Every structure is written in structure tokens, then in C-alpha cells.
Amino acid sequence: MQFVLLGFSDLPNLQGLLFGLFSITYIMILIGNSLIIILTRLDTALQTPMYFFLANFSSLEICYVSVTLPRVLVNLCTQDRSISMRGCATQMCFFLMLATTESFLLAVMAYDRYVAICNPLHYPLVMNHRVCIRLAVGSWVCGIPVQIGQTCQIFSLHFCHSNHINHFFCDMPPILKLACGDISLHELSVYVVVLLVGAVPFMLILASYSKIISTVLRLPTSRGRDKAFSTCSSHLLVVLLFFGSATITYLRPPSSHSPGTDKLLSLFYTIVTPMFNPLIYSLRNKDVIAALRKLFLKI
């Protein structure tokens, strides 16, 4: 009726150091992403569709990391690594739903940049407030039924090998390893869902950026090209970080999975990427830097 999250128990001499590092990282993620949300609410210059979606993205990152990291901190602090089957299923379900939201929200942000750069005269009409709300809500809710079904399917399996999960949170690959019997059909369904919620948004992003690049290259001045590319480069970097690490994790053959590699890749897209997102968007964005200056001058 319960599992044991082994996490980083193979590093007994580093438990205190890991607790300190993860605590600092969690605080940085909360502060950085909360600051972006506050700036987009207070500064009128940032009350545009692009920053509306960025605020949604920052909210998502806070929720995303809060599904896994607090549990890691509790495990490191108390050394009690047990988690009930219901708690494990709940953690996995929320993690998968939020990961799906991130995929589709990144696609929506790419579409926003496509309309802004390729159809600038129609941008206020196409990306009006109602459309932005619908796109954001759609991104948040579209993965809920799919991932609830996926979680129920995985936890309907019989687990007979061991109750030790060699990971720091309840993720699909390490839990499927504990199942007994023939699970090839379940593994196939995992691949299909990952392709559905990963490949479809990624293809939409590629289509948007192919149009953006062809439009930008036709701009008459280098200043216009630089400005257009600067508004897209931050988003493109986040897309590569998220989809790159997630693809390697979930679309590798099961035989090539190793606990060490899985933990490292998972750390990358669950903790490292949310920590760097505020830096990527703020350091490369003059509007955000100007809003930060205004905020600090008021304080």
C-alpha cells in the first residue's frame, strides 16, 4: 500500500548539502517567477498578450516545481522516504497534467509571437483579451482528462517486484519497472500519450517559428531583424530546454533507462529549467528590465 522514494539515499554524506541546495533553489524559483507575475500586473507596459502568457507560464512553473521539490526536501530532512500509493498517484497525476500544460502553453506563446511578427496589423484584433483567456484556459485544462486516465491505468497494474522507487518523485518510467507481468501495452500507451501531448505542441511551435524566421529574414533593416529575433530567442531557448530533456527521458527505449541518468534529466526539467526561466526572460528583455527598475525605485 506504499512505496519508498529512494531519491538521493545513495549519497548519505551529502544529505545536508542537498537539502541546502534544493531549499535555496526552491526559494529562487518562487521569488523569480513571483516577481514576473507581479511585474506584469503592476506595469502597464507589460499588460500585453505576450506578458499575459508569460505570467501564466511563471504561475505554472511555481505549481510545477511545488509538486516535486517540497517532497524531496521533506525526505532529505526527515529521512522518511515512504509515500502512500494514493499520494504517489496524486503526485504523478499533477506532475503529468502540469507538464502537459507547459507543452501547450509554450505552443500558445509561439503562436502569439507568430501573429505579432507575421501579422502585426491584425495582432490586436486576433490576440484580443477574450482569445488570450481562452488559449490560456485551454492550455491549463486540456491535459487533465488524458493524464487522469494515464495515471489510473498505471496504478491499476500489479506491483510485485519491490516497493522501492529509484527516483526522487513518482514518475512513470521508474514505477513501470516495479510492475509485474507483460506491460508492453501500457508502455505503448505511455509513448502514444507522450507523442500526443509533446509532439503535437512541438510541431505547432516549429510551424510558428518557420513562418517567423521566413518573415524576419525579409525585413529590410538589420535593426528590425534584431528586434524581432530578440523577442523570440528567450522563448525558443526555454522550448529547447524543456522539450529536449523531456524527450530524452520519456521517448528512450526502456532498456536504456538507468536510475542515475533518469534522476539527472528529471532534475534538469523539473528544477533547473524553472529556476533559469525568470533569468532567461528578464535578462534578455528590455521591457522587463525597465519594469524591474521602476519597481525598485518605488521601493
Side-chain angles (χ1 to χ4, degrees):
M1 295 301 293
Q2 67 175 14
F3 293 107
V4 177
L5 289 167
L6 296 180
F8 303 98
S9 58
D10 54 337
L11 303 169
N13 298 326
L14 299 176
Q15 299 295 292
L17 177 63
L18 289 172
F19 179 80
L21 285 173
F22 287 138
S23 298
I24 293 167
T25 302
Y26 190 41
I27 292 167
M28 288 175 64
I29 291 169
L30 293 178
I31 292 173
N33 286 287
S34 297
L35 197 57
I36 287 180
I37 296 167
I38 292 166
L39 288 174
T40 56
R41 295 293 295 173
L42 295 181
D43 198 298
T44 53
L46 301 183
Q47 290 174 3
T48 63
M50 184 174 83
Y51 295 108
F52 169 76
F53 293 126
L54 181 56
N56 270 268
F57 192 70
S58 294
S59 303
L60 171 65
E61 293 293 58
I62 291 171
C63 298
Y64 190 56
V65 79
S66 296
V67 170
T68 56
L69 201 45
R71 182 78 204 190
V72 174
L73 294 173
V74 169
N75 292 350
L76 288 169
C77 185
T78 64
Q79 296 300 304
D80 178 14
R81 305 179 189 280
S82 61
I83 183 171
S84 67
M85 184 176 284
R86 186 173 295 177
C88 191
T90 303
Q91 186 187 52
M92 178 192 282
C93 188
F94 274 97
F95 175 78
L96 294 176
M97 286 191 297
L98 292 169
T100 304
T101 299
E102 184 153 351
S103 295
F104 282 96
L105 194 54
L106 286 170
V108 167
M109 293 168 78
Y111 175 71
D112 172 69
R113 292 297 83 210
Y114 157 72
V115 178
I117 292 170
C118 300
N119 298 290
L121 297 178
H122 297 100
Y123 182 64
L125 182 64
V126 175
M127 299 302 292
N128 59 61
H129 186 65
R130 182 181 292 181
V131 170
C132 291
I133 293 289
R134 286 177 178 175
L135 288 171
V137 171
S139 299
W140 280 94
V141 303
C142 65
I144 293 175
V146 176
Q147 298 302 356
I148 288 176
Q150 178 92 301
T151 304
C152 291
Q153 184 184 30
I154 289 172
F155 280 88
S156 66
L157 295 169
H158 294 288
F159 301 100
C160 55
H161 294 308
S162 168
N163 69 334
H164 287 190
I165 301 172
N166 200 349
H167 214 305
F168 59 89
F169 72 99
C170 294
D171 200 7
M172 287 189 293
I175 288 179
L176 285 173
K177 283 183 178 180
L178 305 182
C180 50
D182 183 16
I183 59 166
S184 56
L185 193 62
H186 292 276
E187 288 177 338
L188 180 62
S189 73
V190 169
Y191 284 125
V192 170
V193 171
V194 169
L195 285 172
L196 179 68
V197 303
V200 172
F202 188 67
M203 294 304 292
L204 292 173
I205 291 168
L206 285 180
S208 296
Y209 273 103
S210 63
K211 290 283 188 180
I212 288 169
I213 290 169
S214 65
T215 301
V216 168
L217 291 176
R218 291 199 300 268
L219 292 176
T221 63
S222 59
R223 186 178 178 181
R225 287 192 294 269
D226 292 341
K227 185 178 180 182
F229 277 127
S230 68
T231 61
C232 299
S233 57
S234 301
H235 177 256
L236 197 55
L237 182 58
V238 171
V239 167
L240 293 173
L241 287 172
F242 176 75
F243 280 100
S245 55
T247 299
I248 296 169
T249 300
Y250 291 105
L251 295 182
R252 282 183 300 156
S255 58
S256 67
H257 282 274
S258 69
T261 307
D262 287 348
K263 287 178 195 176
L264 185 63
L265 287 167
S266 298
L267 275 175
F268 199 81
Y269 67 81
T270 59
I271 297 172
V272 176
T273 304
M275 181 177 68
F276 282 111
N277 281 347
L279 294 174
I280 291 169
Y281 279 109
S282 60
L283 293 178
R284 299 182 63 86
N285 193 303
K286 293 178 182 178
D287 293 334
V288 175
I289 293 171
L292 271 172
R293 285 176 182 162
K294 285 182 191 177
L295 183 65
F296 287 132
L297 286 173
K298 286 180 182 178
I299 296 171

